[in-house]
């Protein structure tokens, strides 16, 4: 039954690891702005799509 | 209208839109922005949101002051040989397109390495290479694409802002400990005298003990500090019984596990602190995009152009302006000091200061007060005073601006805490002395149990959750309150003081025409004549008249101080003062009037009126039974008759009040025991707003500036003020009911405690249960209250 010591220490270590991640997240300012990231997240795709379209456009321009 | 909108900014394009790449634009500025974006592959800007842009402003030399290294150093938050980081406030940020374009600034200027938008605060933080570009170039780039940053004197003087995140840390620590202790204490709740448990329980208990240490000594430290401060000031605030409860919980639990008397109350302890901190966190609702602390510095520019003796221009920080300096004020620039106009035609917009929307015409030799904005041509003024000594800015030297309103007022929780603490201590003592006779071994047990179970967690949570929820609801209804203290004060108001201009009146004018009607041709000439004039009244009248075609006039002449003359195809129009158009002055009219004559024949006049806001009369009629109502105006009493007709007879009307008069007036009323609510808008009300118990600033657009205050109310909701006051008083009732609720829990708990049967498991159930039911009760009640509001 002394395995309980190992199990408990593992569980506490995991919990502390998560806790440290939380502290780091707060420290990095993640909780200061709760809105902008939610919008920023949606940009990535638009940007890629747009830039390929643009490059096609410029190519056709060159053909003319 | 739909298809006539500018592709860039969404404004109607009028009769002559500019076509470019099959899109139409309202002006060259918008077209230029579109060109910049399309050249740089940034047209996604228009995909995210329809017509997201703003017309770029003409700037010229406005930002020359950014050439000065000392000013740049003050504005940037980081500076070394190459890299500079600056955070700029951009009022136009309003949609996802704005975020997108501002975070892609590096495509427009490769020296910008990173830019990050904070949408709530409307700021962008830009990192750029100072070797290849400069702050001035960055600001000019932003202005060119329609995102002109707002740089004010406040940015110049403020030191680095420190964000206080300690509450989140404390909440995190408490939550972490609470969860883990709960797991560890579970086995002992149900399995008593089980073999393995007996074996390992000491290990479990000491683990819980170590987890509770950071909760007591870090998360809960504010309660100890506050209780200590309260006791020193001989006040029994709510933190006294809380701190007492936490201390007793911790000591008793430690002793319990040390001498193997029981499993201790570590779960209740960490839960209690966790719930209390959640309450604290919840009432801390902040509106990032609003500032309640503004003084004149937020309105004033950092630097101004000074004309040296040898006629060279130089940009100097406004604090360095000395008496006698000659200053250059350009279009849209703010006059930072009191001065005398030397050259140029002033059309000064004092709406920041007084709320008056008409521009005031000034001629050379006239005195100008600080705080006005020039709309029109370039002015040259001579400074009469320095910035701090000007008529308006002097107001801020009053003591009231350095006082903290929070102090010196006992909130409802602390008011009840006094009786509560005394009652609990009495019960604890009586119960202990009884057990000292009955069973001395249990006496200490009972004493601590009473203090543990009576720890007023639910009471301490009632007000934060009720007020915190009200704050959020009011925020949705466009009534933004600074903090819960202001909300509680609001419920005690018995006197309401209103400013007139800009508060009761709206910023939109209306005119009425009296006299012989003009024919269509005359109207056409009139409109085009007004178009050519920069006089403030011409501008206002031009905007109010219906749009017509643009024609070029045969003759146009402006006579300073008199009026305008113009002719077109046989129509000679004179617009201006009564004398100028050849009409004897009528004495009865107190309003601003523009007279018109056509071919030397008098036609009539346009009179400008202040529009009272919709529902003002109704609001006063609903309010006067419960409150003393006063209208305090800085203007002369020309509107007295109008106001008397509009408002209930009991309303006091007081005119010709200077900014400090308003402040003194409120101070006087407070000394007579009134609780005063001040409703104002301009900087001239700032003193009164600060002095009053609650100061509400009325704002047509909450994103633009309002003076320091306790709450900001959207102007379209002014007529609802009475229901907000009503709701704030109902909120107090809700809190009182939830006090009754938590006493009920306390009585149950005390029964267990006094009879000496308080097991850790009972405390662990009772404490979260009471807290959660209080949260549910207050949330449900406030939400029901809101239904009645609408």
């Amino acid at each position: 039954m002394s395995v309980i010591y190992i199990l408990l220490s593992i569980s506490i270590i995991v919990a502390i690891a998560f806790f440290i991640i939380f502290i780091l997240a707060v420290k990095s300012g993640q909780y200061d702005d709760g809105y902008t990231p939610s919008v920023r997240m949606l940009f990535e795709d638009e940007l890629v799509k747009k830039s390929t379209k643009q490059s096609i456009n410029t190519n056709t321009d060159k053909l003319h | 209208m739909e298809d006539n909108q500018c592709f860039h900014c969404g404004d109607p394009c009028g009769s002559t839109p500019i076509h470019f790449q099959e899109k139409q634009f309202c002006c060259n500025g918008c077209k230029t922005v579109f060109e910049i974006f399309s050249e740089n592959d940034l047209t996604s800007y228009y995909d995210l949101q329809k017509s997201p842009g703003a017309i770029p402003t003409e700037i010229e030399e406005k930002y020359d002051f950014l050439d000065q290294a000392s000013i740049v150093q003050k504005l940037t938050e980081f500076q070394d040989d190459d890299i500079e980081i600056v955070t700029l406030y951009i009022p136009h940020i309003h949609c996802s397109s704005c975020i997108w374009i501002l975070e892609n600034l590096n495509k427009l200027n490769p020296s910008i390495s990173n830019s990050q938008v904070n949408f709530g605060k409307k700021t962008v933080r830009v990192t750029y290479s100072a070797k290849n570009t400069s702050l001035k170039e960055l600001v000019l780039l932003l202005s060119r694409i329609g995102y002109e940053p707002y740089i004010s004197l406040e940015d110049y003087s403020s030191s680095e802002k420190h964000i206080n995140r300690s509450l989140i840390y404390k909440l995190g620590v408490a939550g972490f400990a609470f969860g883990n202790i709960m797991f560890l204490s579970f086995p002992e709740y149900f399995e008593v005298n089980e073999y393995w448990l007996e074996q390992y329980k000491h290990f479990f208990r000491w683990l819980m003990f170590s987890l509770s240490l950071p909760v007591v000594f870090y998360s809960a430290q504010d309660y100890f500090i506050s209780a200590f401060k309260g006791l020193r000031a001989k006040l029994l605030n709510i933190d006294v019984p809380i701190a007492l409860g936490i201390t007793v919980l911790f000591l008793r639990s430690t002793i319990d596990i040390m001498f193997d008397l029981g499993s201790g109350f570590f779960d209740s302890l960490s839960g209690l602190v966790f719930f209390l901190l959640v309450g604290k966190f919840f009432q801390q609702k902040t509106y990032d995009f609003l500032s309640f602390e503004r003084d004149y510095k937020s309105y004033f520019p950092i630097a101004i152009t000074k004309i040296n003796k040898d006629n060279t221009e130089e940009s100097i920080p406004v604090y360095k302006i000395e008496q006698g300096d000659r200053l250059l004020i350009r279009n849209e620039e703010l006059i930072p000091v009191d001065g005398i106009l030397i050259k140029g035609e002033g059309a000064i917009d004092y709406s920041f200061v007084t709320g008056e929307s008409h521009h005031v015409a000034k001629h050379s030799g006239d005195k100008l007060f600080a705080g006005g904005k020039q709309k029109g041509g370039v002015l040259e003024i001579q400074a009469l005073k320095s910035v701090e000594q000007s008529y308006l800015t002097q107001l801020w030297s009053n003591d009231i601006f350095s006082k903290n309103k929070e102090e010196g007022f006992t909130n409802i929780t602390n008011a009840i805490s006094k009786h509560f603490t005394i009652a609990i201590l009495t019960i604890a003592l009586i119960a202990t002395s009884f057990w000292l006779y009955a069973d001395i071994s249990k006496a200490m047990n009972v004493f601590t149990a009473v203090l543990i179970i009576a720890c007023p967690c639910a009471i301490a949570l009632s007000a934060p959750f009720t007020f915190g929820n009200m704050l959020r609801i009011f925020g949705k209804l466009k009534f933004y309150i600074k903090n819960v203290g202001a909300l509680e004060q609001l419920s005690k108001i018995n006197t309401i003081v209103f400013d007139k201009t800009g508060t009761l009146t709206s910023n939109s004018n209306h005119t009425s025409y009296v006299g012989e009607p003009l024919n269509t041709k005359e109207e056409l000439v009139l409109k085009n004549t007004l178009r050519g004039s920069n006089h403030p009244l011409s501008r206002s009248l031009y905007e109010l008249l219906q749009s017509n075609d643009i024609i070029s006039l045969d003759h146009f002449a402006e006579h300073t101080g008199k009026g305008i003359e113009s002719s077109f195809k046989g129509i000679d129009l004179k617009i201006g003062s009564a004398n100028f158009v050849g009409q004897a002055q009528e004495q009865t009219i107190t309003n601003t009037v523009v007279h018109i004559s056509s071919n030397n024949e008098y036609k009539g006049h346009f009179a400008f009126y202040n529009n009272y806001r919709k529902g003002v009369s109704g609001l006063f009629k609903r309010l006067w039974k419960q409150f003393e109502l006063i209208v305090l105006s800085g203007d002369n009493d020309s509107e007295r008759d109008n106001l008397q007709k509009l408002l209930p007879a009991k309303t006091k009307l007081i005119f010709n009040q200077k900014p400090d008069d308003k402040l003194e007036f409120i101070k006087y009323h407070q000394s007579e025991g009134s609780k005063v609510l001040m409703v104002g808008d301009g900087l001239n009300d700032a003193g009164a707003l600060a002095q009053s118990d609650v100061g509400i600033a009325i704002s047509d657009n909450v994103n633009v500036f309002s003076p320091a205050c306790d709450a900001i109310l959207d102007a379209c909701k002014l007529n609802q003020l009475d229901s907000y006051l009503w709701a704030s008083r109902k909120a107090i009732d809700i809190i009182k009911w939830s006090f009754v609720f938590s006493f009920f829990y306390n009585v149950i708990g005390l029964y267990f405690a006094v009879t000496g049967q308080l097991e850790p498991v009972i405390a662990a159930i009772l404490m979260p249960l009471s807290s959660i039911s209080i949260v549910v009760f207050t949330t449900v009640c406030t939400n029901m209250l809101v239904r009645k509001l609408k």
Side-chain angles (χ1 to χ4, degrees):
Chain A
M1 252 327 250
S2 47
V3 72
I4 199 128
Y5 291 113
I6 302 168
L7 288 175
L8 264 181
S9 6
I10 291 174
S11 88
I12 294 285
I13 287 168
V14 170
I16 287 177
F18 274 104
F19 182 67
I20 290 170
I21 293 169
F22 168 76
I23 297 289
L24 289 178
V26 176
K27 207 162 229 163
S28 71
Q30 255 189 49
Y31 290 82
D32 296 347
D33 180 8
Y35 182 79
T36 326
S38 71
V39 180
R40 188 179 297 135
M41 182 190 87
L42 302 170
F43 288 154
E44 254 49 57
D45 307 340
E46 307 256 346
L47 203 66
V48 174
K49 189 189 81 195
K50 199 66 204 176
S51 57
T52 51
K53 214 163 64 178
Q54 280 288 340
S55 60
I56 293 163
N57 276 348
T58 42
N59 283 342
T60 46
D61 282 348
K62 271 173 202 161
L63 286 174
H64 283 300
Chain B
M1 281 304 281
E2 272 291 304
D3 44 347
N4 197 19
Q5 273 177 358
C6 173
F7 184 69
H8 175 69
C9 72
D11 281 356
C13 294
S15 47
T16 49
I18 299 161
H19 290 279
F20 179 74
Q21 288 195 353
E22 297 159 31
K23 284 151 188 115
Q24 53 180 356
F25 298 94
C26 66
C27 59
N28 266 316
C30 288
K31 195 194 96 182
T32 315
V33 180
F34 176 74
E35 273 179 305
I36 295 174
F37 289 167
S38 57
E39 272 165 25
N40 291 287
D41 288 355
L42 290 172
T43 42
S44 294
Y45 181 61
Y46 300 100
D47 297 341
L48 296 166
Q49 195 97 34
K50 208 181 156 208
S51 320
I55 304 171
T57 37
E58 309 237 338
I59 29 174
E60 298 164 55
E61 304 98 348
K62 190 172 168 187
Y63 291 106
D64 281 356
F65 64 88
L66 292 177
D67 287 332
Q68 293 192 18
S70 62
I71 292 180
V72 171
Q73 195 206 333
K74 283 266 190 182
L75 292 174
T76 48
E77 58 189 71
F78 176 81
Q79 214 176 15
D80 72 2
D81 294 343
D82 189 27
I83 301 294
E84 279 181 12
I85 302 176
V86 67
T87 301
L88 294 167
Y89 173 67
I90 301 179
H92 181 64
I93 293 178
H94 72 289
C95 68
S96 46
S97 281
C98 302
I99 303 174
W100 187 79
I101 195 74
L102 289 173
E103 298 200 336
N104 279 297
L105 277 180
N106 58 341
K107 294 203 174 154
L108 296 172
N109 184 344
S111 324
I112 296 169
S113 51
N114 180 29
S115 51
Q116 197 169 17
V117 175
N118 184 325
F119 189 81
K121 292 195 174 113
K122 294 181 189 281
T123 55
V124 61
R125 189 165 181 268
V126 186
T127 314
Y128 58 92
S129 151
K131 270 182 194 150
N132 303 316
T133 188
S134 67
L135 180 60
K136 186 182 165 190
E137 273 177 48
L138 171 68
V139 170
L140 290 179
L141 170 71
L142 287 169
S143 308
R144 236 181 6 250
I145 59 170
Y147 288 95
E148 190 181 356
Y150 189 88
I151 303 172
S152 70
L153 197 54
E154 201 181 21
D155 302 314
Y156 184 72
S157 45
S158 69
S159 54
E160 205 164 304
K161 279 168 204 142
H162 180 72
I163 309 166
N164 189 1
R165 302 193 186 106
S166 70
L167 186 57
I168 300 182
Y169 290 133
K170 283 174 186 158
L171 194 58
V173 169
F176 167 76
F178 177 46
N180 282 290
I181 292 175
M182 264 305 189
F183 276 128
L184 294 170
S185 54
F186 240 69
E188 279 207 76
Y189 285 165
F190 307 111
E191 293 284 342
V192 190
N193 298 328
E194 201 254 356
Y195 172 72
W196 288 113
L197 205 62
E198 285 295 312
Q199 201 79 23
Y200 291 106
K201 70 179 183 193
H202 301 289
F203 176 62
F204 276 69
R205 286 174 181 177
W206 286 106
L207 212 52
M208 289 195 278
F209 169 79
S210 45
L211 280 168
S212 74
L213 286 176
V215 177
V216 176
F217 294 103
Y218 176 66
S219 295
Q221 60 176 323
D222 289 345
Y223 294 99
F224 293 117
I225 294 168
S226 161
F228 177 70
K229 277 186 187 159
L231 285 176
R232 214 173 41 183
K234 298 201 169 93
L235 278 173
L236 285 174
N237 58 22
I238 190 72
D239 294 332
V240 173
I242 290 175
L244 193 66
I246 293 171
T247 316
V248 171
L249 267 168
F250 182 68
L251 291 180
R252 159 111 190 242
S253 309
T254 313
I255 291 167
D256 272 5
I257 62 165
M258 230 187 242
F259 300 103
D260 199 12
L261 301 170
S263 58
F265 297 86
F266 292 116
D267 46 354
S268 301
L269 168 66
S270 52
L272 170 81
V273 176
F274 178 68
F275 281 116
L276 286 171
L277 289 173
V278 167
K280 230 183 205 180
F281 185 70
F282 189 76
Q283 72 169 353
Q284 207 187 36
K285 166 80 182 167
T286 51
Y287 301 102
D288 279 337
F289 62 100
L290 297 176
S291 170
F292 295 100
E293 315 292 346
R294 290 204 170 98
D295 62 10
Y296 69 92
K297 284 183 192 141
S298 325
Y299 305 76
F300 277 40
I302 291 183
I304 195 87
T305 315
K306 179 184 164 186
I307 308 172
N308 289 326
K309 292 225 167 66
D310 53 356
N311 269 334
T312 52
E313 288 177 15
E314 181 198 1
S315 131
I316 57 162
V318 289
Y319 283 131
K320 291 203 177 141
I321 298 175
E322 282 166 22
Q323 197 181 332
D325 280 356
R326 281 206 299 156
L327 309 169
L328 199 71
I329 311 285
R330 299 193 185 87
N331 182 21
E332 292 286 322
E333 277 189 348
L334 195 120
I335 301 165
V337 289
D338 293 353
I340 285 184
L341 183 57
I342 300 175
K343 221 158 70 185
E345 282 305 308
I348 318 289
D349 172 7
Y350 277 112
S351 59
F352 274 163
V353 184
T354 59
E356 173 62 61
S357 50
H358 283 302
H359 301 170
V360 184
K362 293 279 181 187
H363 312 293
S364 64
D366 285 353
K367 198 173 172 197
L368 300 175
F369 289 111
K373 217 176 194 183
Q374 163 68 354
K375 303 267 182 181
V378 177
L379 297 184
E380 225 180 283
I381 68 164
Q382 182 157 32
L384 288 177
K385 284 173 180 156
S386 66
V387 172
E388 278 102 343
Q389 284 162 357
S390 288
Y391 175 72
L392 178 70
T393 46
Q394 253 181 1
L395 186 61
W396 274 268
S397 59
N398 195 303
D399 290 341
I400 192 70
F401 287 99
S402 49
K403 238 187 238 168
N404 186 355
K405 268 192 197 182
E406 295 287 295
E407 289 163 15
F409 119 86
T410 323
N411 64 34
I412 184 166
T413 315
N414 286 337
I416 199 154
S417 149
K418 199 173 90 189
H419 307 289
F420 181 83
T421 314
I422 292 169
I424 289 306
L425 286 175
T426 322
I427 292 172
L429 288 177
I430 292 170
T432 313
S433 34
F434 169 79
W435 282 102
L436 279 176
Y437 290 107
D439 181 356
I440 201 153
S441 65
K442 273 192 171 178
M444 212 50 217
N445 188 336
V446 168
F447 180 71
T448 50
V450 170
L451 292 183
I452 287 170
I453 205 69
C455 189
C457 183
I459 291 182
L461 288 178
S462 304
F465 275 95
T466 311
F467 285 142
N469 208 18
M470 284 308 278
L471 225 58
R472 284 170 171 75
I473 291 164
F474 278 155
K476 277 184 202 145
L477 296 170
K478 297 185 178 172
F479 181 34
Y480 309 96
I481 302 179
K482 182 164 81 174
N483 53 31
V484 292
L487 181 55
E488 194 175 338
Q489 289 280 48
L490 194 63
S491 64
K492 295 181 185 149
I493 292 303
N494 57 24
T495 306
I496 308 178
V497 180
F498 291 90
D499 170 52
K500 183 179 74 74
T501 318
T503 304
L504 296 182
T505 65
S506 68
N507 286 333
S508 61
N509 292 304
H510 79 160
T511 57
S512 69
Y513 179 72
V514 186
E516 220 175 296
L518 302 169
N519 60 37
T520 41
K521 235 178 167 183
E522 282 167 338
E523 264 178 29
L524 182 72
V525 181
L526 171 66
K527 179 85 179 175
N528 278 284
T529 310
L530 294 172
R531 199 168 169 265
S533 161
N534 272 326
H535 191 277
L537 284 178
S538 316
R539 305 305 310 164
S540 332
L541 194 56
Y542 177 76
E543 273 156 34
L544 289 164
L545 293 176
Q546 276 169 359
S547 61
N548 269 312
D549 293 337
I550 295 164
I551 52 165
S552 53
L553 299 163
D554 300 337
H555 167 73
F556 176 86
E558 199 161 358
H559 302 275
T560 308
K562 292 174 189 162
I564 329 165
E565 223 177 335
S566 70
S567 64
F568 177 74
K569 287 186 183 162
I571 299 173
D572 290 320
L573 220 56
K574 277 185 172 179
I575 306 162
S577 67
N579 285 331
F580 180 68
V581 301
Q583 170 82 353
Q585 184 85 42
E586 285 174 61
Q587 294 298 326
T588 49
I589 301 164
T590 47
N591 297 78
T592 318
V593 169
V594 175
H595 295 272
I596 291 162
S597 76
S598 172
N599 295 331
N600 284 325
E601 185 189 324
Y602 183 73
K603 285 285 189 185
H605 66 257
F606 283 96
F608 288 86
Y609 293 104
N610 272 327
N611 254 352
Y612 285 94
R613 289 191 196 278
K614 235 169 64 189
V616 163
S617 179
L619 172 70
F620 272 68
K621 281 192 183 108
R622 289 192 298 273
L623 285 174
W624 75 269
K625 278 181 199 146
Q626 286 171 301
F627 303 97
E628 192 181 342
L629 299 176
I630 299 158
V631 174
L632 207 59
S633 173
D635 297 346
N636 59 31
D637 61 356
S638 62
E639 282 282 309
R640 185 184 282 275
D641 292 342
N642 258 341
L643 276 170
Q644 269 167 352
K645 261 181 255 165
L646 204 65
L647 306 178
K650 256 184 79 182
T651 314
K652 269 192 219 157
L653 304 173
I654 298 160
F655 294 95
N656 296 318
Q657 296 286 307
K658 288 198 206 102
D660 347 352
D661 294 343
K662 290 187 178 183
L663 195 160
E664 291 301 326
F665 180 86
I666 286 177
K667 211 183 222 170
Y668 170 74
H669 266 256
Q670 283 173 328
S671 69
E672 290 196 327
S674 301
K675 292 273 179 192
V676 183
L677 166 66
M678 173 76 203
V679 186
D681 69 307
L683 273 181
N684 62 346
D685 298 323
L689 289 170
Q691 175 65 45
S692 59
D693 293 281
V694 183
I696 300 182
I698 296 287
S699 174
D700 281 299
N701 177 359
V702 290
N703 293 326
V704 297
F705 304 97
S706 44
C709 55
D710 301 305
I712 297 173
L713 177 61
D714 195 293
C716 64
K717 295 280 182 180
L718 177 65
N719 54 2
Q720 303 251 345
L721 186 66
D722 59 321
S723 41
Y724 295 146
L725 290 171
W726 172 80
S728 69
R729 272 185 288 168
K730 283 284 166 207
I732 297 283
D733 290 347
I734 294 175
I735 292 172
K736 285 180 180 158
W737 275 110
S738 51
F739 283 168
V740 173
F741 237 102
S742 44
F743 284 135
F744 175 69
Y745 280 110
N746 267 323
V747 169
I748 299 175
L750 281 174
Y751 163 77
F752 288 106
V754 170
T755 52
Q757 321 172 43
L758 186 71
E759 296 292 321
V761 66
I762 295 173
I765 293 170
L766 213 53
M767 220 173 263
L769 190 66
S770 66
S771 305
I772 290 167
S773 60
I774 287 297
V775 171
V776 171
F777 174 74
T778 55
T779 314
V780 169
C781 282
T782 39
N783 284 332
M784 266 161 54
L785 196 64
V786 179
R787 272 203 212 125
K788 286 189 196 160
L789 266 185
K790 283 173 189 167

